[in-house]
Amino acid sequence: MVVQHEGRGQDRPGPIYDDAMKILADDDLDAVLSLVGVPGGAHELDTELPGSTVRVDLLARTTSGIVHVEFVKDRAPTLDLRMMTYRLRIRGRDGDRDTPIAQHVLVPGDDVTVPDRYHDIDAKQSMFGWSVVRLAELDPTPLLANPTT
């Protein structure tokens, strides 16, 4: 499948869930960020992180800091490592030590287990965490009130 949408560059094959969520974020960023509990007023940032061609699914700046959202529909055994890597690359590119970075994983159902933190067992002080938001557990009333969600 090839999906094309404005603001994301060239056509590319991609995972359907990621692409669909990215298209929705292009259309209504605030609506997609509301799914993970982030209030409106954000503007999207370039998703390519330095040091490679790695791209996160959604990256935005709000009045309170930087928000990173990953869209995960299947078991992701290395998600914790990816989230840590993304966080460090975001910090190196957009942040400084004082800019808060909020990370979220948006999962469609409750049948997929994903971690909510990275803990490096060799360096006991290295721990990062993020929220895991399950669409199936959200109250449908506000979701149905917005055409995007």
Side-chain angles (χ1 to χ4, degrees):
M1 174 179 183
V2 175
V3 176
Q4 179 178 6
H5 39 80
E6 293 181 27
R8 296 269 185 209
Q10 58 185 322
D11 293 350
R12 65 176 179 81
I16 294 171
Y17 176 63
D18 283 18
D19 287 339
M21 294 304 294
K22 290 172 187 178
I23 291 168
L24 290 175
D26 281 345
D27 290 341
D28 192 343
L29 177 63
D30 288 339
V32 174
L33 289 177
S34 74
L35 297 173
V36 294
V38 175
H43 65 276
E44 193 165 3
L45 301 173
D46 182 1
T47 57
E48 188 168 331
L49 300 177
S52 74
T53 56
V54 171
R55 288 187 175 269
V56 298
D57 289 337
L58 176 61
L59 195 62
R61 183 176 292 278
T62 68
T63 56
S64 59
I66 296 171
V67 178
H68 163 221
V69 182
E70 283 298 305
F71 310 125
V72 177
K73 71 173 182 62
D74 297 313
R75 185 176 171 276
T78 61
L79 179 67
D80 59 341
L81 294 172
R82 285 186 11 229
M83 293 296 285
M84 179 195 65
T85 300
Y86 293 154
R87 181 180 193 83
L88 293 174
R89 289 183 183 205
I90 293 165
R91 175 72 64 210
R93 186 193 78 179
D94 291 319
D96 53 45
R97 294 193 181 272
D98 299 323
T99 302
I101 298 173
Q103 290 181 289
H104 308 275
V105 175
L106 190 59
V107 183
D110 58 2
D111 58 338
V112 177
T113 302
V114 295
D116 64 354
R117 71 182 60 98
Y118 169 82
H119 182 229
D120 190 332
I121 60 171
D122 294 332
K124 293 177 179 40
Q125 66 274 16
S126 296
M127 183 178 288
F128 301 97
W130 47 87
S131 73
V132 175
V133 177
R134 298 180 184 285
L135 290 173
E137 296 174 0
L138 295 178
D139 179 2
T141 303
L143 299 177
L144 293 171
N146 185 322
T148 301
T149 56

